[in-house]
Each structure stands twice: as C-alpha cells, then as structure tokens.
Amino acid sequence: MRVAFLGMGIMGRSMAANLVKAGHEVAVWNRTGGKDKDVEGARSAASPADAAQGAEVVWMCLSDTKAVEDVLFGPGGVEQVLAAGMIIADSSTISPSATRRFAERVKARGVDYVDAPMTGSKIAAESGSLIFMVGGDEAVLARLQPLFQAMGKQVFHMGETSKGQATKLVMNLQIALIYEGFAEALTLAAKLGVDVEKLLPLVQASMVRSGVVDYKAPFILKRDFSPNFPLRLMLKDIRLALDAAKESHVRLPGLKAVEEVYNVVAAEGQQDLDYAATLTLLEKWAGVEVKGGSKEEMKAS
Ligand code: NA7
C-alpha cells in the first residue's frame, strides 16, 4: 500500500521501518528534520501534505492532541491533500473527544478515520509485535489489515471511532497504578532490608505477578531509566484519563495521587526519562536506593 507515516519519534520510526520491510511504499515526515528521522527505503517528505499526497493511508504517531491537530489541519497539513477513499489512522494517544471531532471534519471529504493507539513500548515497536486497540468501521479495519500485520501481533476492535483512544486511557491508567504499587513496594523493601533479587522471583511466582513488573524489573536493577516510554507521555495520558473521568463524573482517587508523584518528578526536570524513574522520587523521600543483591542506604538528603 502507499502509506504516509507522520512522526518519527521513538515508536513511529520503528513502525515506519516495519512497513517498509513488509514491502509497502512509505513516505515519512517529522517536524524536526535530521538524519535520525530518515527511514531507509522510505521517501523523506517536506511536509505532512507532501507525504500524504497520493497516499492510500496516512498513519500518525505523534505526541499529543495538539500535534495531531497541527499535522492534520495546520499549515502544510494533511487536509490540503485529502482525497475521497483515503484512510487516516492515528496511533498517537490523544483525547477521545478530539478524535471524534477530527474524524467528523475529514468525513466531510470522504475520508475514513481510525484511532489505533497501541501498547507494547519501544521493544514491541522494533520487533513488529505491538498490540493495537482500534476504533472505526469494520470494513475500514479490514483494509488496514496488511499494515497492522506488519507492525503488530494483535488488533482489538473496540467499537466506533474514538473507542480505541478511550480504551488506551483505561489501559495506561492500570499501568501507571501497577507500576506505582511496584515502585512503592520496592522502596519499602529496600528500607526494610529485603533483598530485591530474592523478592522478584517471589513476586513472579505469586498472584502479584504482572507484565509491568516483568518488563520494568530488569531496567530497575540496571538503574537504566532511559526512555522506553517517557514519563512526560505517561503524565499526558494520566491527565487525559483524569479529564475523561471528570467529563463523565467518575472519581479516580488513586490516579490523582499518582499524578502528583509524576508532577514532582517532571518538575525536577526528569520528564524525558522513562516513567520508571518515578521510583527515584520515592527512593529520595525514603533515603534508600533499590539495588540487586543488598540494601544500600543513601546519604540522607
Ligand atoms: P516521541 O518519541 O516523543 O515522538 C513524538 C513525535 O511527535 C515526534 O515525531 C515529534 O516531532 C512529534 N511532534 C510533537 N509535537 C508535534 C507538533 N506540534 N507537530 C508535529 N509533530 C509533533 O513519542 P513516542 O514515539 O514515544 O510516542 C508517540 C505517541 O504514541 C504518543 O502519543 C504516546 O503517548 C504513544 P519532533 O521530533 O519533536 O519534531
């Protein structure tokens, strides 16, 4: 298929590379240029409209709601070259209500809109094993099947357009709370002198076991907080979930408390680290550092 891929960030770049690998004709665009934003075998376009010109599918993977709005409807945006029969697919995590607005606006030009946020982080994007949660018409999803196959391992159809985004907020709410629970447990364990390397196999053998722990524990033991999923993006999703909850009169006291932890870590300038770095604030407050092998007290700050 002829695909325009917009957004060569941590996720988008690997997703576009997998489309090229699967034999699709891909044009890529990124707001900030530079060699690391090119994808071998893809055409580097000068603007979103340039990339989307003549494309059957425009696929986006951008930071937030504003980025998607800019790329679709701003200067040099996709809107300039919309053509009946085109499909716009969005793998960014953005507001469900904004998604409905964007879809309405392009529908008037005969363009279908599918929201397709994903779960699986950087490693799954690289290996083409993302899991997509999708909102849109069944027939449109069927046409996108070859692209989903090239980038992911599973597609969950959640309902009409915007239900993918709503589902993604519900998923990331759980990830944020599970990780917070894990990080608080590790901090208390370190303070009480429980060996983390002994604790982890117990966690994994018990009902506490979780994919979040499986994924994050090795990075924590290496003290590697480089971004697989940057804290600033998880904070954005927490805020989107809290906004959606407010709009629908739902109380989320746990998520509200976790937002505060993220706010403090972000305010300390660590927003570009992985969200796993929220552990370091708990450690600082407790005056400990979580390490494999043994407890190590930090100097009280
Ligand atoms: P990254 O690595 O932060 O990449 C974000 C991308 O979005 C990157 O290409 C940015 O371009 C682009 N961006 C941000 N703001 C804009 C505006 N206003 N206009 C155009 N392009 C913009 O994020 P990930 O790849 O990890 O994640 C992408 C999405 O998937 C996100 O919603 C996650 O929550 C899930 P830049 O290079 O900064 O010029």
Side-chain angles (χ1 to χ4, degrees), residues 275-296:
Y275 72 90
T278 48
L279 171 70
T280 61
L281 178 65
L282 303 174
E283 290 175 328
K284 194 167 94 176
W285 283 339
V288 290
E289 186 170 301
V290 173
K291 277 191 174 165
S294 64
K295 175 187 86 155
E296 272 193 36

Side-chain angles (χ1 to χ4, degrees), residues 54 69 89 101 118 222 261 269 282 290:
E69 186 161 29
R101 275 205 322 275
M118 66 263 162
K222 283 185 282 173
V261 173
L282 303 174
V290 173

Side-chain angles (χ1 to χ4, degrees), residues 8-11 30-32 62-63 67 70 93 232-233 236:
M8 296 292 103
I10 293 177
M11 303 296 283
N30 197 67
R31 177 182 59 174
T32 311
L62 302 160
S63 306
D70 287 353
T93 301
R232 66 187 155 77
L233 292 180
K236 167 201 60 136

Side-chain angles (χ1 to χ4, degrees), residues 6-13 15 29-33 37 48 60-71 90-94 117-118 122 165 168 172 227-230 232-234 236-237 240 272:
L6 312 177
M8 296 292 103
I10 293 177
M11 303 296 283
R13 197 167 184 281
M15 293 164 77
W29 174 83
N30 197 67
R31 177 182 59 174
T32 311
K37 302 296 177 187
M60 298 179 290
C61 189
L62 302 160
S63 306
D64 53 21
T65 307
K66 185 182 177 303
V68 172
E69 186 161 29
D70 287 353
V71 162
D90 184 20
S91 280
S92 327
T93 301
I94 68 164
M118 66 263 162
K122 182 185 173 190
Q165 295 295 356
K168 177 68 190 276
N172 275 12
N228 278 289
F229 185 42
R232 66 187 155 77
L233 292 180
M234 183 62 106
K236 167 201 60 136
D237 294 354
L240 285 171
D272 290 323

